[in-house]
Amino acid sequence: MCSGLFLGMDDLDPIAIYALFGEWDPQTECCQDNQAVYRSPGEPTVVGMASEDIAKLAETLAKTQVAGGQLSFKGKSLKLNTAEDAKDVIKEIEEFDGLEALRLEGNTVGVEAARVIAKALEKKSELKRCHWSDMFTGRLRSEIPPALISLGEGLITAGAQLVELDLSDNAFGPDGVRGFEALLKSPACFTLQELKLNNCGMGIGGGKILAAALTECHRKSSAQGKPLALKVFVAGRNRLENDGATALADAFGIIGTLEEVHMPQNGINHPGVTALAQAFAINPLLRVINLNDNTFTEKGGVAMAETLKTLRQVEVINFGDCLVRSKGAVAIADAVRGGLPKLKELNLSFCEIKRDAALVVAEAVADKAELEKLDLNGNALGEEGCEQLQEVLDSFNMAKVLASLSDDEGEDEDEEEEGEEDEDEDEDEEDEEDDDDEEEEEEEEEEEPQQRGSGEEPATPSRKILDPNSGTDTSDPEKVVSAFLKVASVFRDEASVKTAVLDTIDALLKKAFSSPSFNSNTFLTRLLIHMGLLKSEDKIKAIPSLHGPLMVLNHVVKQDYFPKALAPLLLAFVTKPNAALESCSFARHSLLQTLYNI
């Protein structure tokens, strides 16, 4: 027998084996080539190779991870500032024949380095997948758009036809979307199937820019006879809110080929949810819908239920922490009962659903043979309700699909929703009042800034919440913290709201910090506690979102009235790992940059 290289089958996957030895036959577990592959059951594969080839193979395996046309620098923590810093990366890109996927996650790429990497990509026409998440760590926000523009131009020049573009976990904000807008509109993205932009801080403005770019991409690609057929869209934790979600919904309705949509934690209320529901109805291939941690209310739940009745391919529904309430849950149950034959997972956890509605949901999944998980945790079932739920599922041998109910909040006797499944007119009136209040707030926040031409000054949320000159005791740190958080909670990127919020905060804190009796250290300590960044013996519930307070603090620390001695303490706590901060990466990044420069 000739000299051979002994490899266990776990050492190389079939793609790597093909790249090294020839065509892989999965049935015979052999490479169909001139080199013999010997294997006995339970023994290593023996590849007949000349000894001189062994050194060549070892050199190949020693290089950066390569498989199936993929070149990976993932997680290497490379700091690529200059062209010199990037020379090794460029060399490997240039020498890699048939490059189909480039992984740059977990590194940090500056403007100059991005420019020379882009130059190397200009000759890589076969590139299909760009895994470029988390590649601007520690960069100034102003650095990211030009870096993205350069990389995009490199792909366009190469004539690449992308299948996947992942820019998640890059806190580039709306300006960053401008950085890859031209790429999205170019022929390089006419073939795009997966677009991943999770946790990028796009905001409403970025969402609108993105929606317009996708619509333009579809228009241009359609003109060439091959319309954009996007399958996977990921944009969680981006503060899209109603306007951003509605703009994207318009684009989704035009595209019509989506199979997965992930948009959790975006501050979307029922108008945005309704717009998305209408768009989903025009995407019949949808398999996964993840809108976790937005706010449906009954209106959004009912609208989404109507869409679910029209879809046949849905496998995963994640509406957890979406406040669908009992009426919304019953509507969704009705949709499940009448269709969704492929449903595998239904998440309606933490949605303020009461016992009777939860039982209706359980009964609705009786014929879902493929169901693997039903999550109703964190609702208001009560101990008896939890037992009844398990009994219902057990009656058709599906008890195993029920997720834990350990966080059930107990049976709620609130009069507003009592008897929700049986009664009827009184509660409908109460729900209408609740929804009307929500609509009024949304109109004040979103529509009134557009009505400046009427000559009437719009009422802003911050002015409704607090007038610092009307009763706030600015000598009491706890009361100042409370006022600060109330105003900061309504912070938005819209100019009128942003200005009103910051003006109100300035007036409040300038007055407080200028008082000789005001304890600024206590103020910051209490603020950190309420934000969930500092533990306290007091049982204080942390505020639900840190985005507004972080954005406002980014303004406050720059002001003359802010005691600069507090900056190091604030920096220490904002730097520490914290799940709440991670969900607001853009706001956190902005504040950290400011604090570092103080």
Side-chain angles (χ1 to χ4, degrees):
M1 178 177 165
C2 64
S3 62
L5 173 68
F6 290 79
L7 295 171
M9 287 308 296
D10 290 335
D11 295 328
L12 290 175
D13 62 19
I15 296 176
I17 292 173
Y18 168 80
L20 295 171
F21 308 123
E23 183 178 354
W24 175 255
D25 186 337
Q27 294 185 346
T28 63
E29 294 191 344
C30 292
C31 294
Q32 305 304 310
D33 202 353
N34 292 329
Q35 302 179 51
V37 177
Y38 307 93
R39 182 179 186 182
S40 299
E43 294 181 1
T45 301
V46 183
V47 183
M49 296 180 64
S51 58
E52 61 267 20
D53 291 333
I54 296 177
K56 183 178 180 181
L57 174 58
E59 181 183 352
T60 301
L61 294 176
K63 286 188 175 181
T64 303
Q65 307 163 38
V66 293
Q70 174 176 284
L71 175 60
S72 176
F73 300 93
K74 181 178 180 180
K76 291 185 177 292
S77 300
L78 302 175
K79 296 181 180 179
L80 308 178
N81 297 316
T82 65
E84 179 66 19
D85 295 336
K87 66 178 183 180
D88 291 338
V89 172
I90 293 167
K91 183 175 183 292
E92 293 205 45
I93 291 174
E94 290 176 341
E95 294 178 354
F96 196 109
D97 294 330
L99 180 63
E100 295 185 7
L102 178 61
R103 307 195 76 105
L104 292 174
E105 309 105 306
N107 300 289
T108 179
V109 181
V111 176
E112 183 181 338
R115 190 178 301 118
V116 292
I117 291 173
K119 193 69 178 177
L121 293 177
E122 289 182 358
K123 297 180 181 179
K124 301 299 174 181
S125 61
E126 297 179 12
L127 187 61
K128 293 180 174 63
R129 298 183 182 275
C130 297
H131 302 280
W132 294 351
S133 63
D134 188 22
M135 56 178 273
F136 296 111
T137 303
R139 297 289 167 185
L140 294 173
R141 180 175 169 181
S142 59
E143 292 181 84
I144 301 177
L148 288 173
I149 289 171
S150 294
L151 292 168
E153 289 174 346
L155 296 173
I156 295 170
T157 301
Q161 293 185 316
L162 295 184
V163 172
E164 179 179 0
L165 177 61
D166 186 355
L167 292 170
S168 299
D169 300 316
N170 291 309
F172 46 56
D175 293 341
V177 184
R178 293 285 188 197
F180 61 93
E181 179 184 15
L183 173 63
L184 282 180
K185 294 179 179 179
S186 75
C189 285
F190 288 179
T191 51
L192 195 64
Q193 295 180 15
E194 300 182 30
L195 179 59
K196 301 175 181 178
L197 299 166
N198 199 56
N199 195 28
C200 291
M202 290 189 290
I204 295 171
K208 289 181 176 181
I209 297 168
L210 176 61
L214 289 172
T215 302
E216 182 68 3
C217 180
H218 187 273
R219 185 189 68 79
K220 287 183 175 180
S221 57
S222 297
Q224 293 190 6
K226 294 183 178 180
L228 171 68
L230 191 66
K231 294 180 179 180
V232 177
F233 180 83
V234 180
R237 296 181 176 181
N238 271 291
R239 307 181 343 269
L240 295 170
E241 302 183 25
N242 289 332
D243 287 353
T246 299
L248 285 166
D250 291 340
F252 295 163
I254 293 170
I255 294 170
T257 56
L258 288 167
E259 296 180 14
E260 295 185 26
V261 175
H262 302 263
M263 296 174 65
Q265 295 184 9
N266 270 297
I268 306 170
N269 298 325
H270 72 78
V273 171
T274 300
L276 288 171
Q278 293 168 349
F280 292 165
I282 316 172
N283 285 264
L285 301 178
L286 265 175
R287 294 184 298 104
V288 178
I289 304 175
N290 177 7
L291 294 176
N292 187 283
D293 200 6
N294 289 291
T295 307
F296 282 40
T297 66
E298 293 91 335
K299 283 189 175 181
V302 170
M304 193 61 70
E306 289 302 308
T307 285
L308 292 175
K309 291 178 181 179
T310 69
L311 300 174
R312 304 292 296 174
Q313 305 301 319
V314 174
E315 298 177 4
V316 177
I317 297 172
N318 187 345
F319 297 158
D321 205 13
C322 283
L323 201 66
V324 301
R325 294 182 178 148
S326 293
K327 277 193 173 181
V330 170
I332 291 170
D334 186 48
V336 171
R337 183 184 298 106
L340 304 179
K342 298 182 179 181
L343 187 64
K344 294 181 178 179
E345 181 177 336
L346 175 60
N347 185 345
L348 294 174
S349 60
F350 299 93
C351 282
E352 292 192 4
I353 299 170
K354 300 181 75 173
R355 178 183 59 183
D356 290 346
L359 295 175
V360 172
V361 173
E363 292 166 354
V365 303
D367 63 343
K368 305 306 168 193
E370 297 186 30
L371 190 69
E372 299 172 358
K373 183 177 181 180
L374 172 62
D375 195 344
L376 289 167
N377 195 21
N379 288 299
L381 311 185
E383 183 176 349
E384 183 179 348
C386 290
E387 292 175 357
Q388 290 177 334
L389 185 63
Q390 291 171 326
E391 289 172 1
V392 168
L393 290 168
D394 193 45
S395 68
F396 35 84
N397 298 318
M398 295 185 70
K400 64 181 181 180
V401 306
L402 183 63
S404 168
L405 298 173
S406 60
D407 293 318
D408 185 74
E409 297 189 358
E411 192 163 9
D412 186 2
E413 299 297 336
D414 188 280
E415 294 181 359
E416 180 181 338
E417 292 186 349
E418 188 174 11
E420 188 169 2
E421 280 66 55
D422 303 318
E423 306 287 337
D424 322 319
E425 296 181 0
D426 291 342
E427 199 216 332
D428 285 344
E429 291 176 1
E430 289 174 345
D431 287 340
E432 286 296 326
E433 290 175 4
D434 289 344
D435 290 332
D436 287 343
D437 289 343
E438 289 176 11
E439 289 183 272
E440 287 173 8
E441 289 180 6
E442 288 162 3
E443 288 169 0
E444 287 166 355
E445 293 182 19
E446 296 174 7
E447 296 177 13
E448 288 190 349
Q450 301 172 11
Q451 299 173 356
R452 287 180 175 261
S454 65
E456 298 180 9
E457 183 177 350
T460 61
S462 57
R463 288 178 183 140
K464 287 179 65 178
I465 290 175
L466 174 70
D467 178 354
N469 296 314
S470 63
T472 300
D473 182 1
T474 54
S475 65
D476 185 338
E478 185 68 28
K479 291 180 179 179
V480 174
V481 166
S482 177
F484 174 92
L485 291 174
K486 283 182 180 179
V487 180
S489 68
V490 297
F491 178 91
R492 296 183 55 163
D493 289 330
E494 292 182 15
S496 59
V497 178
K498 180 178 179 179
T499 299
V501 168
L502 297 182
D503 286 350
T504 304
I505 291 291
D506 284 341
L508 172 70
L509 296 186
K510 188 174 183 180
K511 184 176 180 181
F513 286 128
S514 64
S515 172
S517 61
F518 185 74
N519 191 321
S520 58
N521 288 318
T522 301
F523 164 79
L524 183 56
T525 299
R526 300 303 296 175
L527 179 60
L528 291 170
I529 290 171
H530 282 276
M531 292 174 67
L533 304 182
L534 179 62
K535 292 183 179 180
S536 169
E537 293 181 358
D538 303 333
K539 292 185 177 180
I540 295 176
K541 186 176 181 180
I543 57 176
S545 173
L546 296 185
H547 173 72
L550 290 173
M551 294 298 288
V552 172
L553 281 171
N554 189 40
H555 165 81
V556 167
V557 298
K558 301 174 188 175
Q559 307 309 308
D560 291 338
Y561 61 71
F562 181 76
K564 297 302 183 280
L566 297 180
L569 179 60
L570 181 58
L571 176 62
F573 281 93
V574 177
T575 305
K576 289 173 62 176
N578 185 290
L581 288 172
E582 290 172 5
S583 67
C584 304
S585 61
F586 171 72
R588 179 191 197 182
H589 177 78
S590 299
L591 177 56
L592 284 174
Q593 290 292 345
T594 301
L595 289 170
Y596 280 130
N597 292 325
I598 290 180

